[in-house]
Amino acid sequence: MLDYPLLAALAAVVREGGFDRAAARLGVTPSAVSQRIRALEERVGAALVVRSQPPVPTEAGARLCAHVERVRLLEDELAADLPRLAGPEEGPATLRVAVNADSLGSWFLPAAARFAEATGALLDLVLDDEEHTAARLRTGEVLAAVTAEPAPVPGCRTRALGALRYVATASPAFLDRHFPQGVKPGALARAPVLRFDRKDGLQARWVRQTFGPVPEGPTHQVPSTQGFLDASLAGIGWALNPLPLAAGHLAAGRLVELVPGRFLDVPLHWQHARLGARLLDALTKEVAAAARRCLVPAG
């Protein structure tokens, strides 16, 4: 069986970002925290924390931290029904959630804010591409995820959210410079394009859907949703930007569509663990409401 005082030390180090802060949270010495984590690593037979600044959990450590949070959710629900079972106050529960950067930058945060205000719970948001967030659910690293995967992860509930609409945009000056004869396949193969990271295939998908196979042009890598939009405005390259973020700039003429009306819709789904239903159901309610306001119906 797992030793939960040892697990609590591990979770505190990761959550607080250091051994000293974890010790203060737990009311023990930093040496005691270090000893507990070493004892847990010996029991598990694997390293659980990379002792950097701040400490970072290994894959095994992240799974154990997620397990601790699941147990805390279950205990919080039980204590709400049976208050005499409640133990010493350990602080608010933390939900670890995987979300793609474009959702975080365009529609997810208002839902997170309303959830946090209503429940007092904390969120630990993990950024990953929407094609990969479900994998974090499978490993137990997170309790919920915004994902492109519709099939339920074992042990999870799922619901369709709608589609995040993307529009291919560039600054007027960039369009004049690189597409003087209009946006055509040959010009696209030569024009600089933005990509979020090596996982980002949205620009290539839009080109294939609009023009068929076209070689990718020179690529700038900009791993930030706001930076992506700013780079588009600055004329560094053309890119797909979430329509909720780009709409104002399109209306003002600071950005223009490469091909008017040719959108790329990315269906999104919300999946969350079945355990700890009260808090996760509250978060689900806010996520679904925000999605209704900002996303478009999935085709």
Side-chain angles (χ1 to χ4, degrees):
M1 297 296 292
L2 294 172
D3 188 319
Y4 282 91
L6 301 187
L7 284 172
L10 171 66
V13 167
V14 173
R15 187 169 57 244
E16 300 298 326
F19 284 77
D20 290 344
R21 293 175 182 172
R25 168 68 70 178
L26 297 174
V28 299
T29 66
S31 176
V33 171
S34 182
Q35 290 171 11
R36 291 180 188 182
I37 291 180
R38 280 200 298 271
L40 184 60
E41 289 177 328
E42 290 174 2
R43 177 169 297 186
V44 173
L48 300 176
V49 176
V50 178
R51 287 160 173 79
S52 56
Q53 292 296 330
V56 177
T58 64
E59 182 177 349
R63 292 190 66 179
L64 287 175
C65 288
H67 173 78
V68 172
E69 296 303 339
R70 288 179 188 233
V71 170
R72 287 192 63 191
L73 288 179
L74 291 172
E75 290 180 343
D76 287 346
E77 289 193 0
L78 187 61
D81 294 332
L82 302 170
R84 295 184 67 176
L85 292 180
E89 178 60 41
E90 295 185 10
T94 298
L95 300 185
R96 189 170 172 85
V97 177
V99 59
N100 60 307
D102 287 343
S103 289
L104 185 66
S106 61
W107 66 270
F108 187 86
L109 280 179
R114 283 187 292 270
F115 165 76
E117 182 177 359
T119 65
L122 303 176
L123 289 171
D124 182 359
L125 299 180
V126 178
L127 288 182
D128 206 343
D129 184 84
E130 66 273 5
E131 300 287 343
H132 298 84
T133 49
R136 295 179 180 264
L137 270 174
R138 290 190 184 89
T139 64
E141 181 184 350
V142 300
L143 296 171
V146 175
T147 175
E149 189 167 320
V153 171
C156 292
R157 296 189 177 100
T158 185
R159 67 186 295 166
L161 295 174
L164 183 54
R165 174 161 287 180
Y166 288 83
V167 57
T169 62
S171 69
F174 183 92
L175 201 70
D176 291 342
R177 186 164 65 251
H178 291 280
F179 303 107
Q181 306 302 320
V183 179
K184 299 177 181 179
L188 273 172
R190 296 187 297 271
V193 62
L194 304 180
R195 187 169 60 184
F196 189 89
D197 58 22
R198 289 176 177 80
K199 298 177 182 178
D200 180 12
L202 291 183
Q203 284 68 221
R205 283 173 58 186
W206 180 85
V207 170
R208 284 195 303 271
Q209 290 182 16
T210 306
F211 297 99
V214 176
E216 187 175 55
T219 302
H220 297 287
Q221 202 154 287
V222 184
S224 159
T225 296
Q226 186 60 48
F228 219 67
L229 184 63
D230 291 342
S232 301
L233 290 164
I236 294 175
W238 73 269
L240 264 71
N241 282 293
L243 186 56
L245 294 181
H249 297 293
L250 290 167
R254 292 185 292 269
L255 288 175
V256 292
E257 294 185 59
L258 266 65
V259 180
R262 296 302 298 266
F263 303 115
L264 178 66
D265 292 342
V266 176
L268 296 174
H269 302 265
W270 174 248
Q271 298 206 36
H272 69 82
R274 295 178 182 274
L275 300 177
R278 285 177 183 161
L279 275 180
L280 286 168
D281 284 351
L283 180 57
T284 297
K285 177 183 176 182
E286 297 297 347
V287 168
R292 284 193 298 271
R293 287 189 294 269
C294 297
L295 304 184
V296 301

